[in-house]
Amino acid sequence: MSSSTSKIDLHCHTTASDGIKSPTDLIEYAKSVGISTIAITDHDTISGIDEALKAGKRYNVQVIPGIEFSIDYHQGSFHLLGLFIDHTYKPLIEKVEYLAKCRETRSERIVDDLIKHNITISNKEIQKEANGGSIGRPHIARVLIKQGYAKDMKEVFSNFLIKGKPGYIKKEKIQLADAFSLIEKAGGISILAHPISLEYSDSNEFDLFLNKLIKLGLNGIEVYASMHCEKDIEIYSQFTKKYDLLMTGGSDFHGDKGETLGYYCENKLIPATLQNPLKNFFR
Ligand code: AMP
Ligand code: ZN
Ligand code: FE
Ligand code: FE
């Protein structure tokens, strides 16, 4: 399939973290909707990659092994994607195992806090929902919906699990330099995910921040993201040109937030040409 006729998606979640499709189901689904290249970027985990790579071979979909790290940072929400990583790299495995344990402890503390607010859900229900995957707030959100505490994800994330609301507990996150180093040593490239979530108020501030990241080894920016409006896309695309960075795009597919695989927004296709400069990274 040529890149002009196929679709790509470079940011997707599976049941290895908080997506609703297993790696195999996601790849099968990707094939059925015309995706030729897909990156598996679960939150702080690589446990879905083996299965996704196998499914990729079976369904003839090019699978990019990846991860989405939540970075410890004083402002906004800082997510760093690692693409083309060697998911058998020991120090990376050790780090994600540690982060998964932290997520479990945090989930228990979230439940304790919800109970204090008379929202009586249990750790058992959450574990059942996560089904062995790395626990994230969406798992807890789904239990809250099932129990009738909210009608959908949007309502959950307005009333619970966020700063100042019942069930908010800060997450233990990886340090910035550590994340860059692990991605690089695992042979991957690092991409700043949906930069708008960093909440920089102006382009100059973002420029300074970006310079710091470039010194640490940043390779690219996720320009096409569901959180970005057309103007954001223009701005971040200019930054990739200014600093000769790679440009990527993804739907951030989880499966229950109204996302469409291959599209960064409704009816807005992720340009398949973004994968051309990535060709050399495929193993
Ligand atoms: P966690 O890594 O456990 O803090 O969970 C983060 C995930 O929660 C994100 O990747 C989203 O999938 C989900 N999330 C966070 N905020 C919202 C929101 N306002 N609406 C829907 N999903 C959200
Ligand atoms: Zn998520
Ligand atoms: Fe993210
Ligand atoms: Fe994501």
Side-chain angles (χ1 to χ4, degrees):
M1 219 187 274
S2 85
S3 62
S4 60
T5 55
S6 64
K7 294 182 204 159
I8 66 165
D9 202 319
L10 304 179
H11 184 157
C12 296
H13 297 269
T14 75
T15 48
S17 64
D18 55 10
I20 64 162
K21 285 189 189 295
S22 71
T24 305
D25 289 350
L26 179 65
I27 303 302
E28 186 185 6
Y29 177 64
K31 181 73 187 179
S32 76
V33 295
I35 304 275
S36 62
T37 303
I38 185 168
I40 304 300
T41 56
D42 277 305
H43 297 286
D44 299 330
T45 184
I46 47 181
S47 69
I49 290 177
D50 266 331
E51 187 186 321
L53 287 171
K54 267 189 213 129
K57 285 202 186 107
R58 191 161 129 211
Y59 293 102
N60 191 26
V61 173
Q62 201 157 219
V63 171
I64 299 173
I67 189 163
E68 180 176 26
F69 278 124
S70 293
I71 307 287
D72 189 20
Y73 199 62
H74 59 85
Q75 181 181 310
S77 167
F78 183 174
H79 289 180
L80 187 69
L81 296 169
L83 301 181
F84 302 100
I85 49 167
D86 171 7
H87 64 296
T88 64
Y89 179 58
K90 266 260 165 61
L92 179 63
I93 295 172
E94 282 164 13
K95 190 71 192 188
V96 295
E97 278 174 355
Y98 168 74
L99 292 170
K101 280 207 188 80
C102 294
R103 279 177 172 274
E104 225 173 287
T105 316
R106 171 204 190 208
S107 169
E108 286 162 14
R109 293 176 58 207
I110 288 177
V111 169
D112 288 346
D113 191 62
L114 287 170
I115 289 170
K116 267 188 215 148
H117 290 86
N118 293 321
I119 297 142
T120 51
I121 63 169
S122 70
N123 287 307
K124 231 179 171 171
E125 287 164 305
I126 292 161
Q127 265 157 8
K128 196 170 156 223
E129 188 65 45
N131 195 20
S134 185
I135 301 177
R137 281 180 290 166
H139 296 122
I140 303 166
R142 286 171 201 141
V143 172
L144 288 169
I145 294 166
K146 280 181 189 160
Q147 305 275 333
Y149 289 105
K151 70 171 192 301
D152 55 20
M153 295 296 264
K154 203 170 161 221
E155 203 173 292
V156 175
F157 281 99
S158 310
N159 299 328
F160 311 101
L161 313 180
I162 57 171
K163 220 175 185 162
K165 302 283 177 180
Y168 175 75
I169 301 288
K170 208 167 169 252
K171 182 169 59 184
E172 171 89 18
K173 296 173 193 144
I174 190 170
Q175 297 302 306
L176 181 54
D178 204 6
F180 273 115
S181 157
L182 278 175
I183 291 170
E184 194 196 330
K185 286 183 181 146
I189 55 171
S190 49
I191 308 286
L192 176 60
H194 44 70
I196 195 79
S197 70
L198 281 150
E199 298 171 3
Y200 277 103
S201 49
D202 64 56
S203 283
N204 290 335
E205 260 187 56
F206 179 74
D207 200 332
L208 288 172
F209 165 76
L210 191 59
N211 269 282
K212 270 192 222 157
L213 299 193
I214 291 169
K215 285 198 186 93
L216 284 165
L218 185 77
N219 301 108
I221 299 180
E222 183 181 56
V223 171
Y224 295 87
S226 61
M227 293 179 204
H228 293 170
C229 66
E230 292 303 310
K231 190 160 163 266
D232 300 323
I233 288 168
E234 180 55 32
I235 291 169
Y236 295 122
S237 145
Q238 288 302 330
F239 275 115
T240 63
K241 288 184 187 116
K242 182 171 176 186
Y243 295 113
D244 197 21
L245 294 166
L246 293 164
M247 189 161 34
T248 73
S251 65
D252 206 351
F253 189 82
H254 286 73
D256 62 351
K257 291 196 296 182
E259 333 82 327
T260 312
L261 216 56
Y263 294 79
Y264 63 94
C265 277
E266 212 181 336
N267 298 322
K268 307 241 180 194
L269 204 58
I270 300 158
T273 48
L274 294 178
Q275 69 177 324
N276 296 342
L278 304 178
K279 289 263 147 71
N280 295 335
F281 298 104
F282 283 98
R283 274 182 261 265

